[in-house]
Amino acid sequence: MKQLGNHKAAREVTTVIIGAGHAGLAMSHCLTQRSIDHVVLERGEVANSWRHERWDSLRLLTPNWQSQLPGHHYEGMDPNGFMSMSQVVDFISDYAGTSSAAIYTHTSVTAVYPRDNGYSVSTNRGEWHCQTLVIASGAFNTPVVPAVNAALPPEIQTLTPNQYRNPQQLADGGVLVVGAAASGLQIADEIQRSGRPVTLAVGEHVRMPRSYRGRDILWWMALTGLLDERFDEVDDIKRARRVSSSQLVGTSEGVTLDLNTLTDRGVKLVGRLAGVHNNTAQFSGSLANNAKLADLKVGRLLGGIDEWINDNGWSGDVEAPDRPAPTRLDTSPTLEMKLASGEIKTVLWATGFRPDYSWLKVPVLDRKGMLCHDGGVVSAPGMYVMGLPFLRRRKSSFIYGATDDARDLSDHLVGYVNESYRSRLVAMG
């Protein structure tokens, strides 16, 4: 990778890509194929978030055979396994090594301003002028920590999934994990198995078995076309993009991890954390409703797969249909917990992440600070985004989902560049 020296004069290039994760590198590959000159600017190292912002035991949620990028795919001996974080870093770094584009690491973008026919990109190592801009800086830059965090007793340790590495960094004693999507579920399970009693605060969640009828659930979702569903084919794309990550875990055994599994291991389930008052945590009474809704949705998912199997004559070639057991809950779940008693020593906020666009000085953000875009085409001329959930397809949040998104958006970018060139020629007479 290249180091960018300090330059007083701005450098000119057709496209700047911000971010050298899998999404930015996929876009770079597609632009190279289309002969668009460009650079990739990365604040840290290639695959920086995978290197420095994941816990030690985390594995990719998608099976290895699904690890594909434009011109690059998994070539190991365990296609049905799940990559560790070091393996993911190697996979993406190897991909970067095949790039013919200039990738500048340790180059932080400090501001992006509009200018005539493009954008000015300021960095800690100089300035770039570009006609088009691709934002691939990630969807998970800043952890979402609720304001109620300020009401916790000061002696309670707090941290987020990007700060968590392993149970050994936690104080001895009970842990309250807030959030039951993929990260919260896995971390709660690991901490409970370390011998620390865990309470899991559960809100809306997406239940999903690891395998169904003898195949990985993501194999079925890909085969039936569900993962290829486009952003313009769903009724409410904004809601679809807010859905929490499915309760999946990647293990060599291919096990299912759900609320019943955690209950069997001793994790205490409570409802969504509604507030903290007088050192008392207050939990919503909606736990049963949220669990029932998750059970119904996974039933509909599996029913749709069964229908596809029957319609395509596969019934005799796969295992018989089954359904996961309904989520088991206490008849009277806990609604309050005294925090000053010392029962809880740590609170881990698995309450999601959001992108950081504080450096973007272009009016393309909504009132919540999120990018306004239509399938990755941002509401500013020549600006694009990669790597967001359900960007163009349901699979966009997965590594292999970047391939189709990058191809689509690079086609759009090339069309924009060509049209701009024709317009300038016309204006010149």
Side-chain angles (χ1 to χ4, degrees):
M1 304 306 134
K2 296 184 178 181
Q3 291 287 342
L4 182 63
N6 293 313
H7 294 271
K8 293 182 179 180
R11 296 185 175 190
E12 301 283 343
V13 69
T14 298
T15 303
V16 167
I17 299 174
I18 301 174
H22 73 274
L25 294 173
M27 191 65 167
S28 173
H29 179 94
C30 291
L31 293 183
T32 296
Q33 288 186 318
R34 289 156 175 78
S35 300
I36 297 293
D37 61 296
H38 65 280
V39 295
V40 182
L41 308 182
E42 167 56 49
R43 63 187 171 93
E45 304 168 81
V46 168
N48 196 72
S49 296
W50 297 103
R51 291 177 189 271
H52 303 296
E53 298 174 9
R54 303 291 188 268
W55 63 93
D56 297 343
S57 66
L58 179 63
R59 287 184 174 270
L60 211 58
L61 300 182
T62 51
N64 291 336
W65 58 264
Q66 222 170 28
S67 294
Q68 305 171 25
L69 289 165
H72 189 62
H73 63 274
Y74 174 80
E75 296 180 335
M77 302 298 292
D78 187 18
N80 295 315
F82 301 87
M83 290 187 191
S84 67
M85 288 304 96
S86 62
Q87 290 171 326
V88 174
V89 170
D90 289 344
F91 179 79
I92 297 175
S93 297
D94 289 346
Y95 187 47
T98 68
S99 174
S100 59
I103 302 173
Y104 294 99
T105 56
H106 303 286
T107 304
S108 298
V109 173
T110 55
V112 171
Y113 292 96
R115 63 186 299 270
D116 290 343
N117 193 36
Y119 301 95
S120 173
V121 181
S122 300
T123 78
N124 63 323
R125 296 177 181 275
E127 186 173 355
W128 291 88
H129 289 169
C130 59
Q131 183 179 355
T132 59
L133 180 77
V134 179
I135 301 171
S137 51
F140 309 109
N141 307 121
T142 304
V144 176
V145 177
V148 70
N149 180 66
L152 294 174
E155 63 270 17
I156 290 181
Q157 176 188 19
T158 63
L159 70 166
T160 56
N162 65 332
Q163 297 169 326
Y164 173 78
R165 294 295 175 268
N166 54 63
Q168 286 65 50
Q169 75 187 98
L170 307 181
D172 291 334
V175 179
L176 172 62
V177 177
V178 183
S183 296
L185 210 72
Q186 293 178 58
I187 293 173
D189 180 53
E190 178 172 85
I191 295 173
Q192 178 73 25
R193 288 187 284 110
S194 77
R196 295 166 175 81
V198 173
T199 300
L200 179 64
V202 181
E204 291 187 18
H205 57 281
V206 180
R207 188 181 185 188
M208 191 171 292
R210 179 71 265 181
S211 61
Y212 183 63
R213 301 188 72 168
R215 300 277 190 168
D216 190 273
I217 189 65
L218 294 181
W219 187 87
W220 285 117
M221 292 176 71
L223 183 68
T224 58
L226 182 60
L227 292 180
D228 286 314
E229 186 176 18
R230 290 173 52 89
F231 73 102
D232 49 9
E233 296 174 339
V234 298
D235 293 333
D236 188 348
I237 184 59
K238 289 185 178 181
R239 175 170 174 77
R241 287 169 175 159
R242 292 196 303 267
V243 171
S244 60
S245 57
S246 302
Q247 292 177 333
L248 283 175
V249 59
T251 67
S252 56
E253 300 83 11
V255 300
T256 292
L257 183 63
D258 58 17
L259 296 182
N260 285 344
T261 308
L262 295 189
T263 297
D264 290 342
R265 290 178 179 163
V267 172
K268 180 179 181 179
L269 303 181
V270 295
R272 177 181 57 83
L273 180 62
V276 175
H277 183 66
N278 291 333
N279 288 338
T280 299
Q282 301 167 330
F283 303 105
S284 167
S286 61
L287 175 59
N289 287 338
N290 283 329
K292 184 176 294 185
L293 182 60
D295 291 348
L296 288 172
K297 287 183 176 180
V298 74
R300 286 200 295 268
L301 170 66
L302 302 182
I305 294 173
D306 291 339
E307 183 178 352
W308 188 95
I309 290 172
N310 293 334
D311 290 346
N312 288 273
W314 280 46
S315 298
D317 301 319
V318 295
E319 295 179 3
D322 62 352
R323 293 292 182 270
T327 302
R328 302 188 308 273
L329 300 172
D330 292 340
T331 54
S332 300
T334 299
L335 297 179
E336 290 188 347
M337 179 182 293
K338 299 290 185 181
L339 297 177
S341 66
E343 179 182 355
I344 297 296
K345 297 294 187 181
T346 304
V347 173
L348 192 144
W349 296 107
T351 41
F353 291 82
R354 61 176 294 127
D356 176 16
Y357 301 124
S358 58
W359 43 267
L360 189 55
K361 313 304 180 183
V362 184
V364 292
L365 304 180
D366 63 18
R367 59 185 180 84
K368 294 184 178 180
M370 306 300 284
L371 269 178
C372 298
H373 70 92
D374 184 28
V377 181
V378 179
S379 58
M383 186 181 294
Y384 302 86
V385 62
M386 282 283 298
L388 300 184
F390 216 142
L391 183 76
R392 295 188 64 81
R393 295 166 180 83
R394 193 174 293 275
K395 65 184 179 183
S396 292
S397 57
F398 299 144
I399 285 179
Y400 93 112
T403 296
D404 287 342
D405 288 355
R407 287 172 178 160
D408 287 355
L409 293 175
S410 59
D411 283 344
H412 192 287
L413 186 151
V414 170
Y416 173 81
V417 170
N418 290 339
E419 180 59 32
S420 297
Y421 177 71
R422 286 191 292 267
S423 298
R424 288 197 300 273
L425 288 180
V426 171
M428 292 168 60

